[in-house]
Amino acid sequence: MSAPTPEQVIRHLRHANSVAKQAAGAGHHPFGAILVGPDHETVLLEQGNLSTVNHAEAVLARAADTKFSPAYLAGCTLYTTVEPCAMCAGTLYWANIGQLVYGMDERRLLAFTGANPENPTLDLPCRELFARGQKQIPVTGPVPEVEAEIAALHQDFWKG
């Protein structure tokens, strides 16, 4: 499987962050995810956070599973603003999505959320979870070129 170019990574993460802004504008937590096809250009699906158990990545992966074959999804890349939690990483794994790119890691998110009961982060990096699986999922992230933009959205949201 080929890797996206640095320009594609930045563009798609900015798109995911715009989805996160829409989610926040609708009263949800500011997380956004998009699924990009094997050509690294075509945006197939996009999803913002819905609730504490309906995270953007998990909802998107479930929708992708109903729309596309596992073989096709193996060539796709999920872009998300923040490193997926264990639930979302597991859902991405089981949906057979081939690659993951995230903008900001979970530990940085914790600096903004603190002990907020609406987002009790898990200190389980997605790479550790994937390492215990039977298939390899390449992971790119965090991405410094967009991390500050994503962090700014979270800093503003969680301090309110």
Side-chain angles (χ1 to χ4, degrees):
M1 172 188 321
S2 68
T5 67
E7 294 79 17
Q8 289 169 320
V9 166
I10 291 166
R11 180 167 28 94
H12 291 315
L13 283 173
R14 285 188 172 137
H15 183 159
N17 202 36
S18 73
V19 173
K21 288 176 187 173
Q22 292 170 14
H28 304 294
H29 296 163
F31 300 95
I34 65 170
L35 182 68
V36 176
D39 64 358
H40 299 294
E41 286 296 328
T42 306
V43 177
L44 302 168
L45 297 169
E46 60 181 55
Q47 181 66 54
N49 225 57
L50 298 175
S51 70
T52 56
V53 295
N54 288 299
H55 296 179
E57 303 90 343
V59 172
L60 184 145
R62 287 185 197 106
D65 180 65
T66 65
K67 290 185 73 140
F68 305 105
S69 72
Y72 183 77
L73 288 172
C76 294
T77 305
L78 189 146
Y79 289 83
T80 185
T81 52
V82 178
E83 179 179 10
C85 71
M87 173 182 68
C88 292
T91 307
L92 181 152
Y93 177 88
W94 288 109
N96 207 45
I97 295 171
Q99 292 187 77
L100 169 67
V101 177
Y102 65 84
M104 182 175 79
D105 68 24
E106 184 81 7
R107 288 187 178 152
R108 179 102 189 260
L109 175 65
L110 178 60
F112 300 118
T113 62
N116 190 313
E118 290 186 29
N119 194 49
T121 63
L122 288 167
D123 188 12
L124 178 58
C126 65
R127 285 177 174 91
E128 283 185 38
L129 189 138
F130 293 146
R132 296 174 184 254
Q134 296 179 1
K135 57 187 170 186
Q136 216 174 24
I137 298 178
V139 177
T140 301
V143 177
E145 293 86 352
V146 295
E147 190 174 10
E149 299 165 39
I150 293 166
L153 180 60
H154 284 274
Q155 184 175 19
D156 292 345
F157 182 88
W158 296 106
K159 73 178 170 186

